[in-house]
Amino acid sequence: MNPKIYEYKDEQNWFIGQYSKTNSSIYYQEEAKKTYGSLERDLRSLFDEGTSLMLTVVKITSAMALVQFILEMINDQQQHTYKASSHKGAILVTEEDRLVLVCLPEGGLTVSEFFGDEKTKPTELGDSILIATRNEGKTKEFSQMFAKLGLKVENLNQYPELPEVEETGLTFEENARLKAETISNLTGKMVLADDSGLQVDILGGLPGVWSARFSGPDATDQKNNAKLLHELAMVFDLKDRSAHFHTTLVVAAPDRESLVVEADWPGYIGMEAKGSNGFGYDPLFIVGESGKTAAELSAQEKNDISHRGQAVKKLMEVFPEWQKAH
């Protein structure tokens, strides 16, 4: 029986691995080896005696992605439940409630950097990011994305005492900054806020920043969709119903310059709602030339190509460096 081959591939990372009972063999590009080679050496202690790893790193930008890939092989072959999480620039490997390994960044960390203040408890180790929303659908999307960085995700439903931040900005970035920076200052936490909206070309970019409240103060998804269909009632040709979703993401932390990324997702507004997945305008938004609405896509399909998915991919490229300085 041939040994199982494992592979992980996204736009920034590509790993191929094999669990081996012979000699280990590790292949990196020289520059990547200098930066990430210690991770594989750290993780060797988790392999059963007499086993090793055959690993080819085709390209890499995320230490967390590599650690999760190697842990996946160990868990599959050795029946473990190891998990990786990020903490102050280090990567923690845990199993249930046990901390089993700490992978430190090049140059290490000071004790105060790693443990924070004296009140920090072992159970609090592991970085989290607070998503400035009470929308569980949106939170679920972000949770799946940030799991790749080993970050735990919270949302505002876990902080009922926090005030609602009025979105008084005239641009997506202004609104996202208002939410992220206000809540970060109130909580002392790392906070991500997004301001997303649908922009319909023939409506001059409306509903835009008013997407969530397009139908008025008591807006719901159903009312907003009904109003949009009403506004486009006399536009019969699909090509004249072109639109795009836009998102701006802002990550804020106390005493730090905020991180900003943005992305667009082009498509058209359909004649009727279709699909039961997603939220907001998803049942009306026809994705590109696919003929499918966003609400007819699975969560994974949507995350791969949506405005929010594209923005998070951009965020993943710059977030680790930004986080290191935090």
Side-chain angles (χ1 to χ4, degrees), residues 13 29-30 45 109 130 134 136 150 155 158 175 199 232 260 288 300 306:
N13 305 279
Q29 293 176 337
E30 194 56 38
S45 63
L109 294 167
L130 173 59
R134 300 187 191 279
E136 294 295 343
N155 72 15
Q158 293 159 271
N175 282 333
Q199 296 184 292
L232 297 175
V260 181
Q300 186 58 55
S306 74

Side-chain angles (χ1 to χ4, degrees), residues 200-203 232 235-243 268:
V200 181
D201 295 330
I202 203 168
L203 299 181
L232 297 175
V235 183
F236 303 110
D237 197 329
L238 189 63
K239 68 177 176 59
D240 294 327
R241 298 167 72 100
S242 59
Y268 303 90

Side-chain angles (χ1 to χ4, degrees), residues 92-289:
L92 311 183
V93 179
T94 58
E95 186 168 37
E96 296 178 351
D97 61 348
R98 291 190 313 120
L99 177 63
V100 297
L101 184 67
V102 178
C103 303
L104 293 173
E106 195 71 30
L109 294 167
T110 66
V111 173
S112 60
E113 282 175 333
F114 183 77
F115 286 104
D117 62 50
E118 296 177 355
K119 297 178 182 178
T120 301
K121 303 174 184 176
T123 53
E124 294 171 343
L125 293 176
D127 286 341
S128 63
I129 187 164
L130 173 59
I131 311 298
T133 184
R134 300 187 191 279
N135 186 310
E136 294 295 343
K138 187 182 292 187
T139 302
K140 184 177 179 181
E141 289 184 12
F142 279 122
S143 296
Q144 292 167 341
M145 295 168 184
F146 276 105
K148 295 177 182 178
L149 289 179
L151 291 172
K152 296 177 290 185
V153 169
E154 304 174 299
N155 72 15
L156 295 180
N157 291 327
Q158 293 159 271
Y159 296 86
E161 72 282 3
L162 289 175
E164 293 292 332
V165 179
E166 291 294 322
E167 297 181 6
T168 56
L170 298 178
T171 68
F172 292 109
E173 182 176 335
E174 287 175 2
N175 282 333
R177 276 186 179 275
L178 273 170
K179 289 184 284 187
E181 293 173 359
T182 301
I183 293 170
S184 180
N185 288 333
L186 287 171
T187 62
K189 289 178 172 289
M190 180 166 59
V191 176
L192 180 144
D194 83 306
D195 197 36
S196 302
L198 179 68
Q199 296 184 292
V200 181
D201 295 330
I202 203 168
L203 299 181
L206 289 173
V209 294
W210 299 281
S211 292
R213 49 196 186 277
F214 190 42
S215 58
D218 299 319
T220 64
D221 288 351
Q222 189 174 5
K223 289 179 181 178
N224 286 338
N225 285 331
K227 179 174 174 60
L228 182 59
L229 287 177
H230 175 75
E231 295 291 335
L232 297 175
M234 302 306 293
V235 183
F236 303 110
D237 197 329
L238 189 63
K239 68 177 176 59
D240 294 327
R241 298 167 72 100
S242 59
H244 65 270
F245 274 121
H246 175 89
T247 194
T248 298
L249 302 182
V250 174
V251 183
D255 304 317
R256 290 288 309 282
E257 180 63 33
S258 296
L259 184 62
V260 181
V261 297
E262 56 185 9
D264 293 303
W265 192 23
Y268 303 90
I269 303 303
M271 305 292 179
E272 60 181 349
K274 291 183 180 178
S276 56
N277 299 328
F279 57 92
Y281 297 96
D282 285 355
L284 290 179
F285 184 75
I286 297 173
V287 179
E289 309 300 326

Side-chain angles (χ1 to χ4, degrees), residues 12-13 15 36 39 60-67 148-149 320:
Q12 288 85 39
N13 305 279
F15 318 132
Y36 301 102
L39 291 175
I60 179 171
T61 61
S62 168
M64 178 61 70
L66 180 60
V67 170
K148 295 177 182 178
L149 289 179

